[in-house]
Amino acid sequence: MSKARIAVLVSGGGTNLEALLNAQEAGQIPHGEIVLVCASNEGAYALERARNHGVPATAVARKAMSQSAFETALNIKLAAYRVDVIILAGFLSILSEEFVSRWPDRIINVHPSLIPAFCGRGMYGLKVHEAALERGVRVTGATVHLVNEIPDGGRILLQKAVEVLPDDTPELLQRRVMERAEWVLLPQAAEMICRGLAGEETP
């Protein structure tokens, strides 16, 4: 079986990447294979995680380049590894409409809330969980969605709810959402997209 070739784009520690790599090794993404991890900065620990799993890892330093140069360099890396699918896993660099339009229905992103709640400009990482606690919601979660040209747009693939507990801090809530939602949904969404590219219907 020919597997879809996946690139995971990262910017930081790579906990979501680790979940994807572990899922792949457990046979949970049978129609896909992670062939490249690319970070937007050279110091991202996610690169070390990738190498520990024997996956090629590289960096394209966003700060050193214009948007156009950054995306050109990124496209060169993706082409070199014949990538079919892109997963944004804690990737904090904005991608242009032109870049995204070259990958129709092939870029997936995870957001640590139940979209449309707590999303939009400036809403990422711990800030999302801080906002959820400030609002006093009892349920939050995570969403995996396709990325398109519309800001915060794209078709929602999967969502999973997570309970907010009375004594939660943003850090505790973030960890629970990652463990119970993000790390579960990302491998499922990756397999869904890769299976579709293989021409098979999702069961």
Side-chain angles (χ1 to χ4, degrees):
M1 178 181 65
S2 178
K3 295 186 177 185
R5 298 172 65 81
I6 301 169
V8 183
L9 305 190
V10 296
S11 293
T15 52
N16 282 336
L17 167 66
E18 186 77 28
L20 283 163
L21 291 167
N22 289 338
Q24 176 176 270
E25 290 167 2
Q28 296 173 16
I29 314 176
H31 290 83
E33 179 184 6
I34 299 170
V35 297
L36 175 67
V37 172
C38 186
S40 58
N41 67 86
E42 295 176 351
Y45 182 67
L47 296 174
E48 187 67 23
R49 291 182 189 270
R51 295 183 185 114
N52 289 341
H53 287 264
V55 175
T58 188
V60 176
R62 174 65 184 91
K63 288 186 178 180
M65 304 180 188
S66 67
Q67 183 74 22
S68 177
F70 172 69
E71 292 184 351
T72 296
L74 196 54
N75 274 320
I76 289 171
K77 296 284 188 185
L78 296 172
Y81 284 86
R82 307 189 313 282
V83 168
D84 300 306
V85 176
I86 298 171
I87 299 177
L88 307 180
F91 187 67
L92 301 181
S93 296
I94 301 298
L95 296 171
S96 71
E97 292 182 13
E98 181 181 359
F99 181 95
V100 171
S101 67
R102 296 180 181 181
W103 299 85
D105 296 334
R106 294 193 182 206
I107 303 178
I108 63 175
N109 183 46
V110 62
H111 185 74
S113 77
L114 297 173
I115 291 176
F118 310 115
C119 63
R121 185 174 296 275
M123 279 292 174
Y124 61 89
L126 206 59
K127 296 179 181 180
V128 177
H129 306 293
E130 291 171 348
L133 291 175
E134 287 172 7
R135 185 70 61 85
V137 298
R138 296 182 179 181
V139 175
T140 184
T143 303
V144 178
H145 62 98
L146 288 167
V147 177
N148 63 18
E149 296 91 334
I150 303 169
D152 300 313
R155 179 164 58 89
I156 289 175
L157 296 176
L158 297 167
Q159 290 187 306
K160 186 173 175 59
V162 175
E163 183 182 9
V164 179
L165 301 179
D167 295 330
D168 270 339
T169 63
E171 292 80 7
L172 286 173
L173 183 56
Q174 180 183 52
R175 184 71 186 186
R176 188 180 311 112
V177 169
M178 286 193 298
E179 290 178 345
R180 298 187 184 180
E182 295 180 46
W183 298 352
V184 175
L185 296 181
L186 264 176
Q188 290 178 356
E191 172 59 12
M192 182 184 299
I193 294 300
C194 293
R195 188 182 181 91
L197 290 177
E200 298 185 26
E201 294 184 3
T202 302

